[in-house]
Amino acid sequence: MVVNNKVDSLSYDVEAPPQGAAAPAPARHHAPAPPAVREGAAVLELHKVSLPERRSMARALRQRLAEVFFPDDPLHQFKNQSSARRLVLALQYFFPIFQWGSAYSPRLLRSDLVAGLTIASLAIPQAPTNTGRVLAVQGISYAKLANLPPIIGLYSSFVPPLIYSLLGSSRDLAVGPVSIASLVMGSMLREAVSPDEEPILYLQLAFTSTFFAGVFQASLGFLRLGFIVDFLSKATLTGFMGGAAIIVSLQQLKGLLGIVHFTSHMGFVDVMRSVFKRHDEWEWQTITMGTAFLAILLLTRQISARNPKLFWISAGAPLTSVIISTILSFIWKSHSISVIGILPRGVNPASANMLTFSGSYVALTIKTGIMTGILSLTEGIAVGRTFASINNYQVDGNKEMMAIGIMNMAGSCASCYVTTGSFSRSAVNYSAGCKTAVSNIVMAAAVLVTLLFLMPLFHYTPNVILSAIIITAVVGLIDVRGAAKLWKVDKLDFLACMAAFLGVILVSVQMGLAIAVGISLFKILLQVTRPNMVVKGLIPGTQSYRSVVQYREAVRVPSFLIVGVESAIYFANSMYLVERVMRFLRDEEERALKSNQSSIRCVVLDMSAVAAIDTSGLDALSELKKVLEKRNIELVLANPVGSVAERMFNSAVGELFGSDRLFFSVAEAVAAGACKAQP
């Protein structure tokens, strides 16, 4: 609390910051001095830096862990409740379907029924494709991207959505295979095992990788470690997904051109070399059909994008294209256009006996599971949160991780591979008017009917139409506007985006993913080890001190160097803090010498933005104080937050600085320093 005493003012000349190279020399301002305390004048009571309530070590540790792992305080709802009520709340917490299911109505069912059938029409064409053998891998689909039997893609659109509808907290998320996770799984497993030569072993590794992905995802949710997936920044994901979308699209040239012998490599150069080397295998009938349907699909996508009310046009276009192309293929029966062939009927066969947890491939399946698990979690949670924000409800990230993880663990035992919330399906689900997760149940029921009764109808479906559907689905992952925005806002983010993009395009999907993760970690290390520090000046007419770079009207206070530290002080940046302050000091002394001003005699560290400090940071402050004292310069600290002040007073640093060098604000620190300078 400030005592409203009348305070005499001091007058001194201050230098304004330069306004640019072409601007005239800055004028010398006659700014009001900060309040001073001197003999014979009214006194301003300086505020003392207060410490937070003293806590025991156990209590402090408990509170810190609660803030890290339970920021949402999930147990709050159970307080002061009866045992029966707690049981109901527990069921609603672990099975959200009990929460919204009690208020379910026929009106909601009608909306979910329409949405479920709509996303089923989008999901079914993306799944099945084969050449006649159950384990053949010549077809093109999301399962094909993972080098899996195409029927696995349809199996993965049946069991996982049912499980998610029970455990998931998102109302709009539509579950199924996604292109990025499929592509990464296929690329990583294919390096060790050929799906053509050892299809059974490859299938075992895919199911085992899916199981490990589920274990990893569920563990993150159970241990409430969801912040780990945030290590993939949006910038690197933009580049990675854009590069992967181009690689996926290039792989579809095999189907669009009718090429029989195609490269197994994923790189841009290898694919284009294979395309032109096999030009003698191009089929004009296939090219004509593929180009025509691709143009139609892209056109319907543009129509729905410009007018969201016409979402049903792009949503129904894939299934309509499959039906029309199948009829045309049946009429022509041309050998130049390859078709799917015979597909097995029936529900998902059990695959728990195919999981393998021993042998030389265990490390590969664990690595593949973690990689695909991270990617699918990132996409699923991001999509869920996006639509939750639109509809103004909350999605529990840790609960979503557990739901997706359990869904994949169960799916690996039911002939499914990695699944998550798909952005394209979820967008269609939302546009179709879904209200709850029942839309996933409706989609699963439609897939079940397809598996039991409709599989023979896909016999004459051309493979080329599935290539066109895949290209249409992944082209939305190429975010050119997002990359342009990165260039405008943050050049380092743009470089990270392009590095991940080029890594995928020119090297491999795995390398692109590794680059994306590496750049994300490098950015974190860079921000931690090189925190932002600014020189501050006084805003005329106020007692507020701001960066002289950001606020050109801010004026430096003669004899004072005011430095704002805008980061926590850890062992990784403590020495940088000392070096940066000394560099600021050198620059300010040169500036004072040129303008015939007095040299720096006090350095004020504004600690208001320092959220935390460790022992290395405390040692750095002690070292900085000793270095400055040798140069007859005083170091004072202003406005340390509670946790920082607590650690300072619990260490020798508190005694070293004392209460006369710790101030409530920068203004009071400068006022006290100005007072000491008076005769």
Side-chain angles (χ1 to χ4, degrees):
M1 177 179 176
V2 179
V3 178
N4 293 322
N5 293 329
K6 186 177 180 181
V7 182
D8 290 347
S9 295
L10 300 176
S11 297
Y12 52 87
D13 292 330
V14 293
E15 181 183 356
Q19 301 295 323
R28 298 174 68 86
H29 298 276
H30 199 66
V37 183
R38 59 182 179 178
E39 186 177 358
V43 178
L44 174 69
E45 180 182 349
L46 298 180
H47 297 78
K48 294 183 179 180
V49 175
S50 300
L51 292 178
E53 179 185 356
R54 187 174 296 276
R55 301 171 296 173
S56 65
M57 181 179 297
R59 182 184 175 189
L61 181 61
R62 184 171 63 253
Q63 290 180 350
R64 183 56 180 164
L65 292 177
E67 292 172 2
V68 172
F69 297 106
F70 302 96
D72 54 343
D73 192 13
L75 300 180
H76 176 74
Q77 59 180 328
F78 296 97
K79 295 179 180 179
N80 303 322
Q81 300 290 341
S82 64
S83 299
R85 181 57 181 168
R86 288 179 181 178
L87 177 60
V88 172
L89 291 175
L91 286 174
Q92 292 178 349
Y93 181 80
F94 291 106
F95 300 94
I97 191 172
F98 287 108
Q99 185 173 6
W100 52 262
S102 59
Y104 203 70
S105 65
R107 181 180 59 84
L108 297 178
L109 177 60
R110 184 169 59 252
S111 300
D112 289 336
L113 186 63
V114 173
L117 292 175
T118 304
I119 58 176
S121 70
L122 182 67
I124 291 173
Q126 292 177 345
T129 145
N130 212 324
T131 59
R133 293 177 297 152
V134 175
L135 293 175
V137 286
Q138 301 299 320
I140 302 171
S141 64
Y142 281 173
K144 172 63 180 78
L145 295 178
N147 300 309
L148 291 169
I151 195 66
I152 301 297
L154 200 54
Y155 291 157
S156 301
S157 297
F158 172 49
V159 173
L162 291 176
I163 298 175
Y164 181 82
S165 63
L166 298 176
L167 302 175
S169 60
S170 173
R171 306 171 193 167
D172 304 281
L173 205 64
V175 173
V178 292
S179 57
I180 300 302
S182 302
L183 181 62
V184 171
M185 173 176 282
S187 301
M188 296 184 71
L189 294 182
R190 188 168 188 145
E191 287 187 350
V193 177
S194 171
D196 299 306
E197 298 175 2
E198 300 178 280
I200 299 297
L201 176 59
Y202 188 91
L203 200 58
Q204 290 177 334
L205 298 183
F207 290 149
T208 307
S209 298
T210 300
F211 179 82
F212 281 124
V215 171
F216 174 73
Q217 293 166 332
S219 299
L220 289 181
F222 180 76
L223 299 175
R224 306 186 70 83
L225 298 175
F227 55 84
I228 291 179
V229 300
D230 294 333
F231 278 103
L232 279 176
S233 67
K234 184 177 180 180
T236 53
L237 276 178
T238 298
F240 172 76
M241 295 178 70
I246 291 179
I247 291 296
V248 170
S249 300
L250 291 176
Q251 289 291 311
Q252 310 317 308
L253 292 177
K254 174 185 178 181
L256 284 176
L257 301 177
I259 299 175
V260 178
H261 303 90
F262 200 68
T263 180
S264 59
H265 298 287
M266 308 294 290
F268 175 84
V269 176
D270 293 328
V271 170
M272 296 309 297
R273 184 186 294 119
S274 178
V275 167
F276 290 105
K277 183 179 180 181
R278 302 293 181 180
H279 67 277
D280 55 321
E281 297 182 6
W282 295 9
E283 296 289 348
W284 69 268
Q285 298 96 329
T286 301
I287 296 175
T288 302
M289 176 179 284
T291 303
F293 279 100
L294 178 60
I296 292 173
L297 290 169
L298 292 175
L299 178 62
T300 58
R301 184 185 181 93
Q302 287 296 318
I303 292 174
S304 297
R306 294 184 178 181
N307 190 350
K309 294 183 178 180
L310 300 178
F311 71 91
W312 53 270
I313 295 179
S314 62
L319 185 58
T320 304
S321 299
V322 168
I323 295 173
I324 295 175
S325 63
T326 301
I327 295 174
L328 294 176
S329 177
F330 177 76
I331 296 174
W332 288 343
K333 293 183 179 178
S334 174
H335 296 289
S336 300
I337 300 178
S338 65
V339 296
I340 288 176
I342 301 173
L343 286 171
R345 286 194 292 183
V347 296
N348 300 32
S351 58
N353 61 324
M354 300 186 70
L355 301 180
T356 174
F357 304 110
S358 61
S360 57
Y361 296 110
V362 174
L364 174 64
T365 56
I366 293 176
K367 181 172 67 173
T368 304
I370 291 176
M371 288 293 185
T372 55
I374 290 176
L375 283 175
S376 57
L377 268 187
T378 302
E379 179 171 355
I381 293 178
V383 172
R385 286 176 175 172
T386 297
F387 289 102
S389 63
I390 294 175
N391 289 328
N392 195 28
Y393 68 93
Q394 295 294 323
V395 167
D396 189 326
N398 291 294
K399 195 181 299 183
E400 285 294 286
M401 292 177 191
M402 292 186 65
I404 295 175
I406 294 173
M407 159 179 99
N408 280 317
M409 284 191 290
S412 67
C413 300
S415 299
C416 305
Y417 76 108
V418 176
T419 54
T420 187
S422 166
F423 181 80
S424 58
R425 294 187 195 183
S426 300
V428 172
N429 194 32
Y430 169 76
S431 300
C434 75
K435 300 300 181 182
T436 68
V438 170
S439 60
N440 277 294
I441 299 177
V442 175
M443 180 188 70
V447 172
L448 175 61
V449 172
T450 302
L451 286 170
L452 292 176
F453 306 109
L454 304 181
M455 298 309 290
L457 299 180
F458 292 98
H459 183 282
Y460 287 99
T461 300
N463 286 321
V464 64
I465 193 63
L466 300 173
S467 296
I469 291 174
I470 294 295
I471 293 176
T472 306
V474 301
V475 71
L477 298 177
I478 305 174
D479 190 1
V480 178
R481 291 183 178 179
K485 183 178 179 180
L486 291 175
W487 171 259
K488 181 179 180 180
V489 176
D490 191 328
K491 301 298 189 293
L492 184 59
D493 268 352
F494 177 79
L495 292 177
C497 172
M498 293 307 299
F501 175 81
L502 295 176
V504 174
I505 293 293
L506 301 179
V507 186
S508 66
V509 175
Q510 300 95 298
M511 182 57 66
L513 181 59
I515 291 174
V517 174
I519 291 176
S520 298
L521 293 176
F522 175 75
K523 283 190 61 181
I524 294 174
L525 291 175
L526 187 64
Q527 292 172 354
V528 169
T529 58
R530 295 295 183 267
N532 191 40
M533 299 175 64
V534 296
V535 174
K536 293 188 172 185
L538 177 65
I539 302 297
T542 72
Q543 290 298 320
S544 180
Y545 290 79
R546 294 292 185 267
S547 168
V548 296
V549 175
Q550 180 181 2
Y551 295 89
R552 294 184 178 275
E553 68 271 23
V555 292
R556 290 175 169 84
V557 180
S559 303
F560 286 85
L561 170 61
I562 305 167
V563 178
V565 184
E566 300 178 348
S567 170
I569 304 176
Y570 293 116
F571 65 93
N573 60 24
S574 57
M575 287 300 99
Y576 174 78
L577 169 72
V578 177
E579 295 169 356
R580 198 70 183 89
V581 170
M582 297 307 297
R583 178 180 168 186
F584 280 142
L585 181 62
R586 181 196 65 195
D587 294 342
E588 291 301 307
E589 287 183 337
E590 292 178 356
R591 181 189 301 273
L593 184 61
K594 291 180 180 179
S595 58
N596 295 322
Q597 290 186 343
S598 57
S599 60
I600 302 298
R601 54 181 172 77
C602 182
V603 174
V604 181
L605 281 187
D606 184 359
M607 307 279 285
S608 58
V610 179
I613 191 170
D614 65 359
T615 54
S616 297
L618 294 173
D619 292 340
L621 292 179
S622 300
E623 180 180 344
L624 178 61
K625 185 177 185 302
K626 294 175 183 178
V627 171
L628 293 176
E629 283 180 345
K630 293 180 180 179
R631 302 177 60 171
N632 295 322
I633 299 175
E634 187 175 12
L635 175 65
V636 298
L637 309 178
N639 195 19
V641 299
S643 60
V644 174
E646 183 179 22
R647 293 195 176 185
M648 291 179 62
F649 280 101
N650 289 337
S651 66
V653 175
E655 298 179 0
L656 182 64
F657 279 87
S659 60
D660 59 334
R661 291 185 177 87
L662 287 176
F663 294 92
F664 177 78
S665 65
V666 174
E668 294 188 359
V670 174
C675 173
K676 291 180 181 180
Q678 297 180 52

